[in-house]
Amino acid sequence: MPTMADVAKLANVALSTVSYAINGTRPISEETRQRIFAAMEELGYQPNALARGLASKRSRILALLFPAPERGLGITELEFVTAAADAAKENDYNLILWSSELKKIDELRELTQQGLVDGVVAMEVHLHDKRIEMLREADFPFSMIGRCAESDGIDYVDIDFDQVVREAVDYLKELGHTRIAFVNHSQAEYDAEYGPAVRAEAAFAAAVKDAGLPNLVRRCRAAPPAGYEAFGSLLSEDPSITALITMNERAIPGIMLGISEKGWSIPDDFSLVAIVSSARAAEMVMPALTTMEPPSAKMGRVGVELLIRKLESGDQDTAKILLPCRLVIRGSTGPCRRPPEGAHG
Amino acid sequence: MPTMADVAKLANVALSTVSYAINGTRPISEETRQRIFAAMEELGYQPNALARGLASKRSRILALLFPAPERGLGITELEFVTAAADAAKENDYNLILWSSELKKIDELRELTQQGLVDGVVAMEVHLHDKRIEMLREADFPFSMIGRCAESDGIDYVDIDFDQVVREAVDYLKELGHTRIAFVNHSQAEYDAEYGPAVRAEAAFAAAVKDAGLPNLVRRCRAAPPAGYEAFGSLLSEDPSITALITMNERAIPGIMLGISEKGWSIPDDFSLVAIVSSARAAEMVMPALTTMEPPSAKMGRVGVELLIRKLESGDQDTAKILLPCRLVIRGSTGPCRRPPEGAHG
DNA sequence: CTGTTAGCGCCTTCAG
DNA sequence: CTGAAGGCGCTAACAG
């Protein structure tokens, strides 16, 4: 493995000149530049990342924090990850995957003290997130995909849950639906103040209130049987429900089973909208689901770009970015056929 | 940020003694050990990963190679990734995500020359994989999740496609099915010699031959419409098909649509088995799919453990591990109800 | 069992 | 515009 000294010797310049040529830290005469790069080429020289990091105090390594899969990462989150990796690479950074249990913040603290990573991007953020508190106190550079209850001074990208839920509700209302239910993530995640669970539910409450509709909500574990139950429970509260919005992808098959057992068919008798749900998941079921599709890749990308921007510019003002989801109409929604009162279920 | 020198001073020992105490490279008297660790504690000392790596020539960083999502990573692959990250962490390694286009092996070569990573684990391996050739020639440490046509001297974990396909075929045959079709990944992936696509198809050919059954196969893009088409095409080749095996998760909704349009219901009139398919995907459709479920997490884990073993022991013998998939019977398979000849479709 | 010291490969003031 | 030299924080001989 050739070193900078080898390059310098071959190019007949001082070692430091090679360094400057590589980093562009200082103007170098075109002629010597040429010689240096030729020498690098000839030797197949690659700067040693560790040495460079040690000397410059910048490793150009970022960490992506995701909690150990409790709910389990879905396809949506997978896209965060790959997009984040791509964005990092495009900016000449490396991305390490750091799966941290929410409890073990000591591990996180160690990570920030090892000098291995220049910054972290946190995903799956909770309203009161120990990780975020820790990073903040330590004044360690980071950005979030998601946001806390109080995110002053922190860069983040998140989904605009108000927009998403409101658009879904409005869309269904325009189709004539006036009894619209919402199936949320689990009680456990709500209690843990998982951002999307709390925000979407609040947004739903606000949206139906503004629309003059009842607030029909269930929290639901991420599994088909739980979806089935939630659906049944909603229907016994109000048998005239004709449409349902959910963010809980894994509950969907159970919900659909409940619908079909009622003798209803989708979308003729019942409409279903999956919010913050990727096309991949939407197309796994029949009929394919109308969704509010999240800009997953963009979120992953922006998450790391925000961090890099903060790292590289002394820029202190923070960016708070809320991204909308896009309504994609597929086969699971249609006009309301049943009258508001008196369901025939 | 305290350094080893600070610790040494506080503990009243030489700097190197601290190093030895930390690494256990050399026996240290219990007493001074105590003092040293107390000092570390007091200062909140954390060794600098970069400096350590530079001096020891071992970064304790591994890279996970996955091609930029062409087919797109599915849930199964996501589990590789998280399991790999966990396994790395348990062994005190970090895992960087390296999304490399198959073509740009130069980027990969650079990675191996930067001294940033001690080794790589490659996923989504093709039978003739440039990345693998490069790593091999460079004599850079690596392991594979998957395997090449010729994998002499390389550690790998892969799925035992022969077992998987054979078990699926046998299972269906026992249910009385004698016209069993196979829907593979796309022609493009087959042409690219993507391991699973080639091996599963070959395994299917062998399995049906041994069972005295016809070899009914289609390659199919990863999308519902393609699945629909493939199903139609298979049925026009042999209308008496009563069961189908597929590895192409995303084609499944199309296949199921085709089945239902025939007026058939699952599993009464037609049986469907998804191989190398996770429970997550299987439970997204109705009825839930009978699958041959892959040990995804184990593969990710073993992939990195193999690499670490090679890195840490001079051990030169290679491990070639083939893992079986487990048959999970759900609602998409049942006894054959239609006679072998003369379908009434 | 403990100390001293020379690097690891690069960056970055300094002086020229 | 270029060169010399001192670190960055740690490891691993080499001496005791």
Side-chain angles (χ1 to χ4, degrees), chain A residues 118-162:
Chain A
D118 291 340
V120 305
V121 7
M123 48 185 281
E124 302 287 294
V125 173
H126 291 61
L127 295 195
H128 295 95
D129 199 305
K130 302 282 188 196
R131 302 172 301 167
I132 305 303
E133 287 173 22
M134 189 255 110
L135 292 168
R136 211 169 196 172
E137 284 172 19
D139 199 28
F140 193 82
F142 72 101
S143 70
M144 302 188 287
I145 297 179
R147 65 198 137 120
C148 304
E150 194 279 288
S151 299
D152 285 1
I154 309 180
D155 289 318
Y156 66 74
V157 233
D158 198 2
I159 285 169
D160 184 346
F161 290 98
D162 279 316

Side-chain angles (χ1 to χ4, degrees), chain A residues 12-187:
Chain A
N12 256 315
V13 294
L15 187 152
S16 62
T17 307
V18 178
S19 172
Y20 292 128
I22 291 175
N23 300 307
T25 320
R26 195 161 85 170
I28 300 279
S29 79
E30 188 51 30
E31 190 195 320
T32 57
R33 254 184 61 89
Q34 298 286 326
R35 278 217 314 286
I36 290 173
F37 279 96
M40 287 180 16
E41 187 81 13
E42 185 176 338
L43 296 173
Y45 170 79
Q46 281 290 121
N48 179 300
L50 261 29
R52 188 207 286 253
L54 178 60
S56 68
K57 307 208 151 300
R58 313 204 51 249
S59 66
R60 301 193 76 83
I61 300 176
L62 272 24
L64 180 63
L65 258 51
F66 62 92
E70 302 154 338
R71 184 182 56 273
L73 293 194
I75 289 182
T76 305
E77 288 90 347
L78 174 58
E79 285 183 32
F80 290 174
V81 176
T82 58
D86 287 343
K89 175 138 74 169
E90 281 168 28
N91 290 280
D92 270 306
Y93 278 79
N94 285 113
L95 222 224
I96 90 175
L97 227 50
W98 186 263
S99 75
S100 61
E101 293 179 37
L102 284 170
K103 311 150 189 185
K104 304 192 179 174
I105 36 171
D106 283 339
E107 289 188 353
L108 213 201
R109 178 175 288 112
E110 286 173 20
L111 176 68
T112 65
Q113 293 177 163
Q114 287 176 170
L116 214 213
V117 304
D118 291 340
V120 305
V121 7
M123 48 185 281
E124 302 287 294
V125 173
H126 291 61
L127 295 195
H128 295 95
D129 199 305
K130 302 282 188 196
R131 302 172 301 167
I132 305 303
E133 287 173 22
M134 189 255 110
L135 292 168
R136 211 169 196 172
E137 284 172 19
D139 199 28
F140 193 82
F142 72 101
S143 70
M144 302 188 287
I145 297 179
R147 65 198 137 120
C148 304
E150 194 279 288
S151 299
D152 285 1
I154 309 180
D155 289 318
Y156 66 74
V157 233
D158 198 2
I159 285 169
D160 184 346
F161 290 98
D162 279 316
Q163 174 269 334
V164 174
V165 170
R166 192 149 243 130
E167 193 167 330
V169 168
D170 287 351
Y171 165 67
L172 287 170
K173 197 180 174 194
E174 274 168 29
L175 286 172
H177 298 277
T178 55
R179 292 293 180 279
I180 303 171
F182 177 66
V183 171
N184 199 348
H185 287 310
S186 70
Q187 182 69 43

Side-chain angles (χ1 to χ4, degrees), chain B residues 4 16 19-20 45 52 55:
Chain B
M4 242 170 72
S16 63
S19 171
Y20 292 125
Y45 169 78
R52 189 205 284 253

Side-chain angles (χ1 to χ4, degrees), chain B residues 188-248:
Chain B
E189 301 200 72
Y190 192 91
D191 290 342
E193 297 185 304
Y194 176 54
V198 175
R199 291 210 167 78
E201 189 171 311
F204 183 78
V208 289
K209 183 175 181 195
D210 290 355
L213 306 179
N215 188 23
L216 300 155
V217 174
R218 286 297 178 282
R219 295 172 193 154
C220 175
R221 275 177 303 106
Y228 181 82
E229 258 179 60
F231 178 76
S233 161
L234 280 164
L235 232 62
S236 63
E237 175 178 346
D238 184 344
S240 60
I241 291 173
T242 59
L244 188 149
I245 296 171
T246 186
M247 193 168 44
N248 189 333

